[in-house]
Amino acid sequence: MTTGFKRATTPLALLAAAALLAGCGGDGGNGPNDVTVWMYPVIADPKANSAYWERIEKDFEAATPGTTVTIEEQPWENRDEKLATAFGSGKGPDVVLLNPDQVPQYLAGGALQPVDKAVESIKESFLPNALDALTHDGRLYAVPIYHTVTTTLYNKRLLDRAGIDKPPATWDEVRAAAPKLKAAGVATLDYSASNEATLNLNFYPLLWQAGGSVFSEDGKKAAFNGPEGVAALTFVTDLYKAGAVPKSALTNTNIFADHPMGEQQVAMAFSSTSADADLARKTWGAGNVVVGKPLRDAEQVSFGVPGGLGLSAKARNTAGAQKFLAYMAAPERIRSLGEASGFLSPRTDVTVPSDAPYAKQFQEALPYAYPGEPSPVARQVMSLIAPEIQAALTGRKSPKEALDAAAAQADDLLARQR
Amino acid sequence: MARLRLPVLLALVGLVTMTPFAVMVLVAFAPPGGRTLPGAFDLTRATWENFSAVLSGADITRWAANSLVYSLVSVVLILLFSSMAGYAFAKKRFPGREVLFWSFLATLMVPFQATLVPYFVLVSRLGGVDTYWGLIVPTLANSQAVFLMRQFIAQLPDELFEAARIDGASEWRIYTTVVVPLITPVLATLGVFVFLWHWNDFLWPLVIGQSSRMHTLTVGLATLEGENVAVNQIMAGATITVLPCLLVFGLLQRYLTDSIATTGLKN
């Protein structure tokens, strides 16, 4: 019985010894002239993503003699754990791609340094919203290299069926359309209320459209339970009760395919991405897809964030890293990255040339894109609000009770911050 | 009728267990971009497209080799250390034995996320980032494995060890000729578990392997997944990672059933 096992252990033990004796890894990335960049799959096609960043490595080195750059592709999954651990031990990258909501937490830990110097001469060219999202205490902490945007997506076939000629563009129009669509046997507005779904694509855009904000001006208090927040949650709750928001909203997670919007059971969604619109074109047929401007109430706004390159406070080659930031912010790179990724330009003087079918509409939605309010506890606060929204939808609490309960917990959390 | 009840129940449990696997494979072969379910059940439209999308441009051989080294080396070393420690805790008398054992076992209560940062700082100061040893060594003190070994070895009759000692056998000889042959079933069982833990591990390989050369398969495949990746591709990736697990299980299944079959038999 043991012979097979014994026979296998010898080569395995040798393999073990060989592996442990294998030399240290990490060729390059440690020299004084080297710049290490952590990049994520921003280009959906893995092959194209690798090819794009390899080309950037070569081109940058050719354009910047004396500086070498190593671009490491990292996964989105657990990216904060990985980055926090690396920064915490001084082993992190010199340059890393950041979303606006990541900046405050790394700033609080002293892991980032300002990048104003890298883009001094071109600062005026960026979208003001993009710069604001990545600026803290008047200093810029990441250079925007692309911008995402979401907007309203309509299913023309369903609107036609209910006899609605003009797609609903305001809350009032959505409310007015609901009974007609119900008579035609479909829901009106897609919504995602799962605890796993980020609020940036469901409750927050409505809160902003009502003129409200998640946090108070100084970021120390919850503000989402003000009259605007209550109006936003009442808007959704009333539609849900009337059957105008699909019943599956409670478990939906901002996904298009295989969900009510993709399955043509609901007429419109207010936080759709260009990938959603492309998928709709494939599954519904191009004639049935209408991409509109962001939904409007007191304000016209939708969620969209810049992706920016941040600079580690412990970068070994700050000058080289700043050259890389400037290189990536130049019009040619903004254009080539936009073309490859389908994202938009964060600069007002550069447009991404795109033959994608809805590029124009998403470009038109960009001025309304809002990245949300930066807070080191942004994600935790979402997890406090989400269950309360479910409580309001299911009628266990009134919208005001639900938001007050979440705000009380959020205030506790904020008070515990340094 | 009564005799049929158990087989039917077991068949049902088996079916429930197998369904997610079957769905994973079906969805992995379904045409991308379409409806995943029930569309995936249309086998006439099965395609390799999702697999080629997952594997295109990937350094898959390097990642698979890293995963193999990480899993196999850890299996060998964990089995070696945990069986030695298990033997000492079960059969040797030394001051502080119980305190030491229970303190070691208490580490099970601390979630890995809580020790991740100190672990990483320690390993990185020692120069272990992006190395095989940095990946493997911190996982070797496995309290679950030691606990299992100690419990199993404690059941072995003391007379065996006394007889060996009277015959003049050294400790090392007792360990290799008495302990190891008797604990083969539990070694195999534990080997399967440890292999699966390491093969599917994500967080530690993610933080310790910073360059793509040092990614394991789980981490490497994750780097290929964009934010809006189709569920078909995720399932194709999952299918690729699950295959070696099934292989290892198939190879060692005999030992597993042996260890279960001999439980409860007196020597």
Side-chain angles (χ1 to χ4, degrees):
Chain A
M1 191 163 102
T2 60
T3 50
F5 206 79
K6 263 194 185 148
R7 226 180 301 139
T9 50
T10 315
L12 286 182
L14 288 173
L15 180 66
L20 290 177
L21 291 171
C24 297
D27 53 342
N30 295 321
N33 296 328
D34 195 82
V35 176
T36 308
V37 181
W38 280 9
M39 188 43 69
Y40 299 86
V42 287
I43 299 164
D45 175 39
K47 210 178 200 161
N49 193 51
S50 295
Y52 181 84
W53 295 111
E54 276 165 27
R55 205 181 71 234
I56 289 287
E57 271 183 10
K58 282 198 190 75
D59 293 356
F60 172 75
E61 286 173 5
T64 324
T67 306
T68 50
V69 66
T70 309
I71 302 178
E72 300 286 8
E73 289 171 40
Q74 306 293 355
W76 290 120
E77 216 176 326
N78 293 76
R79 71 169 158 160
D80 279 324
E81 282 90 338
K82 176 160 186 164
L83 200 52
T85 319
F87 275 156
S89 64
K91 270 279 178 189
D94 303 314
V95 172
V96 59
L97 180 73
L98 296 170
N99 275 359
D101 66 351
Q102 289 178 288
V103 174
Q105 57 187 347
Y106 293 119
L107 201 53
L112 299 175
Q113 56 174 307
V115 295
D116 303 79
K117 207 162 156 236
V119 286
E120 253 168 350
S121 56
I122 51 169
K123 238 180 163 174
E124 300 302 308
S125 327
F126 288 102
L127 284 166
N129 267 356
L131 288 185
D132 287 348
L134 300 164
T135 300
H136 293 267
D137 300 329
R139 309 182 80 173
L140 183 66
Y141 283 94
V143 174
I145 56 168
Y146 66 78
H147 211 297
T148 69
V149 67
T150 57
T151 191
T152 320
L153 178 68
Y154 302 93
N155 186 323
K156 190 171 178 301
R157 176 189 298 151
L158 302 184
L159 292 174
D160 288 350
R161 198 193 294 172
I164 298 167
D165 305 330
K166 185 178 160 290
T170 66
W171 287 17
D172 288 338
E173 287 170 16
V174 172
R175 288 190 195 104
K180 295 180 196 165
L181 283 154
K182 192 174 182 177
V186 285
T188 305
L189 188 72
D190 194 32
Y191 193 80
S192 290
S194 156
N195 286 339
E196 274 84 56
T198 166
L199 267 63
N200 285 330
L201 296 174
N202 43 67
F203 180 64
Y204 287 178
L206 296 177
L207 171 71
W208 302 326
Q209 284 161 16
S213 63
V214 182
F215 300 105
S216 61
E217 199 76 24
D218 60 6
K220 292 191 172 130
K221 281 272 194 212
F224 55 80
N225 58 332
E228 301 87 357
V230 174
L233 189 50
T234 307
F235 172 63
V236 181
T237 313
D238 289 350
L239 289 172
Y240 183 81
K241 283 181 190 149
V245 163
K247 290 292 172 229
S248 63
L250 291 176
T251 52
N252 285 358
T253 52
N254 305 319
I255 291 175
F256 176 88
D258 290 338
H259 285 64
M261 192 66 191
E263 297 284 324
Q264 307 203 64
Q265 296 158 356
V266 56
M268 63 184 284
F270 61 89
S271 287
S272 297
T273 62
S274 58
D276 294 341
D278 283 346
L279 207 50
R281 193 171 48 92
K282 284 178 194 148
T283 48
W284 308 347
N288 292 317
V289 181
V290 178
V291 177
K293 286 220 171 120
L295 199 56
R296 195 174 70 231
D297 186 44
E299 310 264 343
Q300 186 168 21
V301 57
S302 70
F303 178 71
V305 286
L309 293 176
L311 177 55
S312 164
K314 291 200 169 87
R316 286 174 300 273
N317 180 3
T318 303
Q322 285 178 331
K323 282 180 193 158
F324 182 76
L325 299 184
Y327 183 81
M328 285 312 296
E332 301 91 281
R333 256 69 60 193
I334 298 280
R335 270 195 288 267
S336 64
L337 180 60
E339 272 191 288
S341 65
F343 292 141
L344 299 165
S345 161
R347 291 180 60 156
T348 50
D349 58 346
V350 180
T351 314
V352 174
S354 175
D355 50 9
Y358 306 109
K360 186 171 153 288
Q361 288 90 326
F362 279 94
Q363 189 68 46
E364 283 169 0
L366 192 56
Y368 305 99
Y370 181 62
E373 299 140 69
S375 164
V377 293
R379 299 277 159 174
Q380 288 102 305
V381 170
M382 282 185 191
S383 64
L384 299 175
I385 302 175
E388 297 295 343
I389 287 179
Q390 290 185 333
L393 288 178
T394 50
R396 284 185 290 120
K397 288 182 183 174
S398 73
K400 176 136 185 57
E401 284 168 353
L403 292 174
D404 283 343
Q409 296 179 70
D411 284 340
D412 273 355
L413 180 70
L414 286 158
R416 287 200 302 271
Q417 300 307 305
R418 273 176 296 171
Chain B
M1 191 63 216
R3 256 190 310 155
L4 269 181
R5 215 175 289 161
L6 188 64
V8 168
L9 183 72
L10 289 176
L12 279 176
V13 171
L15 196 68
V16 169
T17 316
M18 286 302 295
T19 305
F21 276 101
V23 169
M24 173 184 80
V25 175
L26 281 172
V27 171
F29 281 104
R35 293 186 53 182
T36 48
L37 292 174
F41 291 105
D42 182 0
L43 294 178
T44 55
R45 298 171 65 213
T47 166
W48 287 98
E49 216 172 316
N50 303 309
F51 288 89
S52 59
V54 167
L55 301 179
S56 65
D59 202 353
I60 207 96
T61 39
R62 170 88 204 192
W63 298 338
N66 288 342
S67 272
L68 269 178
V69 168
Y70 179 46
S71 307
L72 291 175
V73 173
S74 300
V75 166
V76 172
L77 295 176
I78 286 175
L79 291 185
L80 178 72
F81 295 148
S82 64
S83 57
M84 285 179 173
Y87 169 55
F89 280 130
K91 295 293 179 191
K92 309 298 294 175
R93 305 236 165 272
F94 54 90
R97 179 178 83 162
E98 293 303 300
V99 174
L100 195 62
F101 175 70
W102 290 108
S103 340
F104 187 45
L105 198 62
T107 59
L108 270 180
M109 301 294 159
V110 185
F112 182 62
Q113 281 74 3
T115 54
L116 177 69
V117 174
Y119 252 134
F120 182 83
V121 171
L122 189 68
V123 172
S124 72
R125 297 263 163 89
L126 294 168
V129 172
D130 264 356
T131 64
Y132 282 120
W133 75 258
L135 186 63
I136 293 164
V137 171
T139 65
L140 296 183
N142 188 316
S143 44
Q144 264 167 305
V146 173
F147 177 70
L148 259 173
M149 286 291 177
R150 173 186 176 266
Q151 299 310 89
F152 195 86
I153 295 168
Q155 292 170 12
L156 301 175
D158 288 341
E159 294 84 348
L160 284 173
F161 301 96
E162 283 158 17
R165 254 177 227 117
I166 289 164
D167 288 342
S170 65
E171 281 305 336
W172 177 248
R173 199 177 162 91
I174 292 174
Y175 168 74
T176 51
T177 57
V178 179
V179 178
V180 171
L182 289 172
I183 59 170
T184 312
V186 80
L187 282 175
T189 311
L190 193 61
V192 172
F193 283 132
V194 172
F195 182 89
L196 296 185
W197 290 335
H198 283 77
W199 184 265
N200 295 324
D201 194 8
F202 182 79
L203 198 53
W204 181 246
L206 171 80
V207 298
I208 207 77
Q210 298 196 341
S211 73
S212 50
R213 290 180 327 100
M214 285 304 294
H215 286 337
T216 57
L217 200 56
T218 44
V219 177
L221 287 175
T223 62
L224 306 178
E225 288 180 3
E227 273 184 313
N228 294 321
V229 71
V231 72
N232 310 69
Q233 274 187 38
I234 295 175
M235 291 302 157
T239 307
I240 295 165
T241 23
V242 100
L243 284 177
C245 300
L246 293 175
L247 192 72
V248 167
F249 187 79
L251 286 175
L252 295 176
Q253 201 182 4
R254 193 163 55 88
Y255 294 104
L256 286 178
T257 44
D258 277 348
S259 84
I260 294 162
T262 53
T263 319
L265 288 186
K266 290 262 186 296
N267 286 293

